[in-house]
Amino acid sequence: MRFTINTQEFLKTLNNVSRASSSSSTMAYYQYLKLTVVDNGVLLLASNGQFTIESLIPNIQKDKQIVFDKDFGSTLVNSKLINAIVAKLPSDTFTFEIIENGLAKIEANNIVYNLNVVDSSEYPQIDLSAIGIKLILSSKDINDAISQVSFAASQKNTRPQLMAVNTESTSSSIIFTATDGARLARKEIAIDTNGVFSVNIPSKTFIEIARTLDDTKEVEVYVSDKKVLFKTDFTTISTSLIEGDYPNVKNIIPKNFYYYLEVNAEEFLNALSRVSLLSIERENVVKMTMEEGRAIISSKSQQVGSSQEFLNLFRYTGERLEISFNGDYVASAVRALNSNDVLISFLGEMKPFTITDKNNSNVIQLITPVRTY
């Protein structure tokens, strides 16, 4: 096995693929990267057993020769180590070659590394077959859904389903939902589907998928009862699912509201940040007091004092209302919308409230209030 390859193209692909490898896995082979020389380039594959990325570096890309001087073969190399080595190479290309059983040579200019490798037959068989219900989504839609929803998933392992992003189909849309019990994020994407499914994708895996799909335009998604596969021209990503029924959250989001606050996202986030400096007790509890012509964000701590800030850019509709909430949760929800014009809709002082883009309601953030100090 042998190949000479463009250093930067190899490193870019390696950085993406190695996200799936696990240096802490009890199964040693998941610390390895699988390298395979094939007809049309060099394949890189990494996995942690639940999450797998395979990516092809093509022989020629944009009329530029990327891979040279190939001899077919496959081997396993420590993912962390080869990343560290290639990142420090000063040359435009390098050569990787198996020089004897269990030993590879990495050579660039006057630099030579002799590296222990493992026979690729030691690596577990990973099923990357494209089976199940097929969807076509843009990478932007997928990345938006992940950034606008996955942060609301639980970080605690007390209920595994809450550590997932539930992905559900209807006849005309895909709905992404995450909740940790105190907040909920939901995004709907209009798309024709040819099947009905509801699967739980681990939220941490979803975030890694978004980073890997940055440079692509169209993604084939295959949903089955055991895995979800994301496929682009050169990359295939597979994730296993979290079993069990997702909580029924369909009726949690209120349909009617009595109070509405429109804010400028930047001013609102800055005010939250300043007021939260003195909110050191409990869960960063912040109070908002609203009435016609006035909106105040405040916090209070028996240890250090209190603070309040009047909003300048706002419009409030409804009777006087006071409501307290976790400031971090609200700030995360506003940032996830990626919009300047934010609408916060209330039902009452102890009822869940929603945060949406004023001009686009396909993303809904739901926050549960907390009792005031």
Side-chain angles (χ1 to χ4, degrees):
M1 175 189 174
R2 172 189 169 91
F3 61 87
T4 300
I5 196 164
N6 179 280
T7 303
Q8 290 307 311
E9 290 297 328
F10 183 88
L11 189 60
K12 182 174 71 173
T13 303
L14 176 61
N15 285 336
N16 274 336
V17 172
S18 60
R19 289 192 179 105
S21 64
S22 174
S23 59
S24 60
S25 174
T26 55
M27 299 182 179
Y29 39 71
Y30 287 138
Q31 300 176 24
Y32 285 86
L33 177 80
K34 185 176 182 181
L35 291 175
T36 307
V37 179
V38 294
D39 278 335
N40 52 346
V42 177
L43 271 176
L44 280 64
L45 182 146
S47 180
N48 62 12
Q50 305 297 316
F51 175 45
T52 302
I53 303 177
E54 181 185 70
S55 196
L56 174 74
I57 304 173
N59 294 328
I60 299 174
Q61 196 167 11
K62 296 179 181 178
D63 297 325
K64 179 182 178 182
Q65 191 78 29
I66 304 298
V67 183
F68 317 80
D69 189 21
K70 298 186 312 181
D71 281 336
F72 296 113
S74 185
T75 193
L76 304 179
V77 59
N78 184 282
S79 178
K80 187 176 181 179
L81 193 55
I82 193 171
N83 200 315
I85 289 171
V86 175
K88 291 185 179 296
L89 293 179
S91 58
D92 292 336
T93 63
F94 72 92
T95 298
F96 182 98
E97 181 180 12
I98 302 296
I99 54 177
E100 61 181 74
N101 192 27
L103 190 65
K105 178 175 70 174
I106 296 176
E107 188 172 8
N109 292 346
N110 58 346
I111 303 169
V112 176
Y113 290 92
N114 289 325
L115 204 59
N116 292 334
V117 293
V118 177
D119 191 286
S120 62
S121 63
E122 298 290 325
Y123 208 72
Q125 290 294 316
I126 296 175
D127 181 13
L128 294 178
S129 55
I131 57 174
I133 298 170
K134 181 181 178 181
L135 311 169
I136 304 290
L137 291 170
S138 73
S139 60
K140 184 179 186 310
D141 279 342
I142 295 173
N143 290 342
D144 285 349
I146 294 168
S147 65
Q148 292 172 335
V149 171
S150 59
F151 70 91
S154 176
Q155 303 301 309
K156 300 176 183 177
N157 201 22
T158 52
R159 191 173 180 185
Q161 290 81 16
L162 296 187
M163 300 180 72
V165 175
N166 178 254
T167 307
E168 181 183 21
S169 71
T170 69
S171 60
S172 58
S173 66
I174 302 294
I175 300 170
F176 300 87
T177 305
T179 182
D180 61 4
R183 56 180 169 174
L184 179 145
R186 180 181 185 271
K187 179 179 177 71
E188 185 168 358
I189 299 174
I191 181 177
D192 291 331
T193 62
N194 59 359
V196 176
F197 60 82
S198 177
V199 295
N200 302 322
I201 301 175
S203 62
K204 290 183 178 179
T205 300
F206 233 152
I207 292 169
E208 295 299 337
I209 289 170
R211 293 172 180 163
T212 305
L213 295 178
D214 265 352
D215 297 328
T216 62
K217 293 182 179 179
E218 191 174 85
V219 183
E220 295 178 2
V221 183
Y222 297 86
V223 183
S224 66
D225 59 345
K226 297 295 183 184
K227 66 180 182 183
V228 175
L229 201 76
F230 299 82
K231 195 173 182 65
T232 66
D233 289 341
F234 299 124
T235 300
T236 300
I237 304 169
S238 174
T239 175
S240 60
L241 304 173
I242 294 178
E243 296 181 352
D245 293 331
Y246 201 74
N248 186 354
V249 296
K250 290 182 173 62
N251 297 321
I252 290 179
I253 299 174
K255 294 180 173 58
N256 299 302
F257 298 94
Y258 303 129
Y259 316 88
Y260 300 91
L261 178 67
E262 299 175 30
V263 295
N264 172 270
E266 183 178 6
E267 186 203 39
F268 185 71
L269 287 171
N270 287 338
L272 267 180
S273 176
R274 286 186 288 263
V275 168
S276 295
L277 290 173
L278 297 189
S279 180
I280 63 173
E281 298 174 353
R282 296 177 61 190
E283 297 179 336
N284 187 21
V285 177
V286 171
K287 183 167 77 170
M288 197 148 59
T289 304
M290 298 158 286
E291 58 189 0
E292 185 177 352
R294 189 166 70 163
I296 307 169
I297 302 175
S298 61
S299 67
K300 182 178 180 181
S301 167
Q302 292 183 349
Q303 297 180 32
V304 297
S306 63
S307 64
Q308 68 176 25
E309 182 165 340
F310 291 77
L311 295 180
N312 292 313
L313 303 175
F314 74 95
R315 177 182 296 163
Y316 179 68
T317 304
E319 301 295 323
R320 176 183 166 87
L321 177 69
E322 289 188 354
I323 192 164
S324 298
F325 49 79
N326 182 308
D328 291 333
Y329 285 2
V330 169
S332 295
V334 172
R335 281 193 291 266
L337 294 177
N338 194 27
S339 170
N340 289 325
D341 301 314
V342 173
L343 175 64
I344 310 177
S345 305
F346 305 93
L347 198 57
E349 66 176 19
M350 285 310 298
K351 301 289 186 180
F353 59 93
T354 63
I355 303 174
T356 58
D357 180 339
K358 177 187 171 184
N359 305 308
N360 185 351
S361 61
N362 69 352
V363 179
I364 298 175
Q365 309 286 349
L366 184 78
I367 306 292
T368 302
V370 297
R371 294 200 177 277
T372 192
Y373 29 74

